[in-house]
Coordinates of all heavy atoms in Angstrom, one line a residue:
V1 N 28.2 19.2 35.7 CA 29.2 19.0 36.7 C 28.6 18.2 37.9 O 29.2 17.2 38.4 CB 29.8 20.3 37.3 CG1 30.7 20.0 38.5 CG2 30.5 21.0 36.2
V2 N 27.4 18.6 38.3 CA 26.7 17.8 39.4 C 26.4 16.4 39.0 O 26.7 15.4 39.8 CB 25.4 18.5 39.8 CG1 24.6 17.7 40.8 CG2 25.7 19.9 40.4
K3 N 25.9 16.2 37.8 CA 25.6 14.9 37.3 C 26.9 14.0 37.3 O 26.9 12.8 37.6 CB 25.0 14.9 35.9 CG 24.6 13.6 35.3 CD 23.9 13.8 34.0 CE 23.4 12.4 33.4 NZ 22.7 12.6 32.1
E4 N 28.0 14.6 36.8 CA 29.3 13.9 36.7 C 29.8 13.5 38.1 O 30.2 12.3 38.3 CB 30.3 14.7 36.0 CG 31.7 14.1 35.9 CD 32.7 15.0 35.4 OE1 32.4 16.0 34.8 OE2 33.9 14.7 35.6
H5 N 29.7 14.4 39.1 CA 30.1 14.1 40.4 C 29.3 13.0 41.1 O 29.8 12.1 41.8 CB 30.0 15.3 41.3 CG 31.1 16.3 41.0 ND1 31.5 17.3 42.0 CD2 31.9 16.5 39.9 CE1 32.5 18.0 41.4 NE2 32.7 17.6 40.2
I6 N 28.0 13.0 40.8 CA 27.1 12.0 41.3 C 27.3 10.6 40.7 O 27.4 9.6 41.3 CB 25.6 12.4 41.1 CG1 25.2 13.6 42.0 CG2 24.7 11.2 41.4 CD1 23.9 14.1 41.7
T7 N 27.5 10.6 39.3 CA 27.7 9.4 38.6 C 29.0 8.7 39.0 O 29.1 7.5 39.3 CB 27.7 9.6 37.1 OG1 26.5 10.2 36.7 CG2 28.0 8.4 36.3
N8 N 30.1 9.5 39.2 CA 31.4 8.9 39.5 C 31.6 8.8 41.0 O 32.6 8.3 41.5 CB 32.5 9.8 38.9 CG 32.4 9.8 37.4 OD1 32.0 8.9 36.8 ND2 32.8 10.9 36.8
R9 N 30.6 9.4 41.8 CA 30.8 9.5 43.3 C 32.2 10.0 43.6 O 32.9 9.5 44.5 CB 30.5 8.1 43.9 CG 29.1 7.7 43.8 CD 28.7 6.6 44.9 NE 28.9 7.0 46.2 CZ 28.0 7.8 46.9 NH1 26.9 8.2 46.2 NH2 28.2 8.1 48.1
N10 N 32.5 11.1 43.0 CA 33.8 11.8 43.2 C 33.5 13.2 43.6 O 33.5 14.1 42.8 CB 34.6 11.7 41.9 CG 36.0 12.0 42.1 OD1 36.5 12.1 43.2 ND2 36.8 12.2 41.0
F11 N 33.1 13.4 44.9 CA 32.6 14.6 45.3 C 33.7 15.6 45.8 O 34.8 15.2 46.3 CB 31.7 14.4 46.5 CG 30.5 13.4 46.2 CD1 30.4 12.2 46.9 CD2 29.6 13.8 45.3 CE1 29.4 11.3 46.6 CE2 28.5 12.9 45.0 CZ 28.5 11.7 45.7
S12 N 33.4 16.9 45.6 CA 34.3 17.9 46.2 C 34.0 18.0 47.7 O 32.9 17.6 48.2 CB 34.0 19.3 45.5 OG 34.4 19.3 44.2
R13 N 34.9 18.6 48.4 CA 34.7 18.7 49.9 C 33.7 19.9 50.1 O 33.0 19.8 51.1 CB 36.0 19.0 50.6 CG 36.9 17.8 50.7 CD 38.2 18.2 51.4 NE 39.0 19.2 50.7 CZ 39.9 19.9 51.2 NH1 40.2 19.9 52.5 NH2 40.6 20.8 50.5
I14 N 33.7 20.9 49.2 CA 32.9 22.1 49.5 C 32.2 22.4 48.1 O 32.8 22.5 47.1 CB 33.7 23.3 50.0 CG1 34.6 22.9 51.2 CG2 32.8 24.4 50.3 CD1 35.6 23.9 51.5
Y15 N 30.9 22.8 48.2 CA 30.2 23.3 47.1 C 29.5 24.6 47.4 O 29.0 24.8 48.5 CB 29.0 22.3 46.7 CG 29.5 21.0 46.1 CD1 29.8 19.9 46.9 CD2 29.7 20.8 44.7 CE1 30.2 18.6 46.4 CE2 30.1 19.6 44.2 CZ 30.3 18.5 45.0 OH 30.8 17.3 44.5
L16 N 29.4 25.4 46.4 CA 28.6 26.7 46.5 C 27.6 26.7 45.4 O 28.1 26.9 44.2 CB 29.5 27.9 46.5 CG 28.8 29.3 46.4 CD1 27.8 29.5 47.6 CD2 29.8 30.4 46.4
F17 N 26.3 26.6 45.6 CA 25.3 26.8 44.6 C 24.8 28.2 44.7 O 24.4 28.7 45.7 CB 24.1 25.9 44.9 CG 24.4 24.4 44.6 CD1 25.1 23.6 45.5 CD2 23.9 23.8 43.5 CE1 25.4 22.3 45.3 CE2 24.2 22.5 43.2 CZ 24.9 21.7 44.1
C18 N 24.9 28.9 43.5 CA 24.5 30.3 43.5 C 24.0 30.7 42.1 O 23.9 29.8 41.2 CB 25.7 31.2 43.9 SG 27.2 31.0 42.8
G19 N 23.7 32.0 41.9 CA 23.2 32.4 40.6 C 21.8 32.9 40.6 O 21.1 32.8 41.6
S20 N 21.3 33.4 39.4 CA 20.0 33.9 39.3 C 18.9 32.9 39.2 O 17.7 33.2 39.4 CB 19.9 34.9 38.2 OG 20.3 34.3 37.0
E21 N 19.2 31.7 38.7 CA 18.2 30.7 38.4 C 18.1 29.7 39.6 O 18.7 28.7 39.7 CB 18.5 29.9 37.2 CG 17.5 28.9 36.7 CD 16.0 29.5 36.9 OE1 15.7 30.4 36.1 OE2 15.3 29.0 37.7
Q22 N 17.2 30.1 40.6 CA 17.0 29.3 41.8 C 16.4 28.0 41.6 O 16.7 27.0 42.3 CB 16.2 30.1 42.8 CG 16.8 31.5 43.2 CD 16.0 32.2 44.2 OE1 15.3 31.6 45.1 NE2 15.9 33.5 44.1
Y23 N 15.5 27.8 40.6 CA 14.9 26.6 40.3 C 15.9 25.5 40.0 O 15.9 24.4 40.6 CB 13.8 26.7 39.2 CG 13.1 25.5 38.8 CD1 12.0 25.0 39.5 CD2 13.6 24.7 37.7 CE1 11.4 23.8 39.1 CE2 12.9 23.6 37.3 CZ 11.8 23.1 38.0 OH 11.2 22.0 37.6
L24 N 16.7 25.8 39.0 CA 17.8 24.8 38.6 C 18.8 24.5 39.7 O 19.2 23.4 39.9 CB 18.5 25.3 37.4 CG 17.7 25.2 36.0 CD1 18.6 25.8 34.9 CD2 17.2 23.8 35.7

């Protein structure tokens, strides 16, 4: 999803990054 948003430069207004895998 992140790659697609960057490639198309079609960003959401708000993002929440969460989850158990902090490195990714």
Side-chain angles (χ1 to χ4, degrees):
V1 172
V2 172
K3 185 176 180 181
E4 179 187 341
H5 285 203
I6 291 173
T7 301
N8 298 330
R9 290 198 64 77
N10 196 10
F11 304 115
S12 293
R13 287 182 295 162
I14 309 168
Y15 290 91
L16 170 59
F17 286 79
C18 58
S20 59
E21 184 44 67
Q22 298 184 34
Y23 177 83
L24 287 180

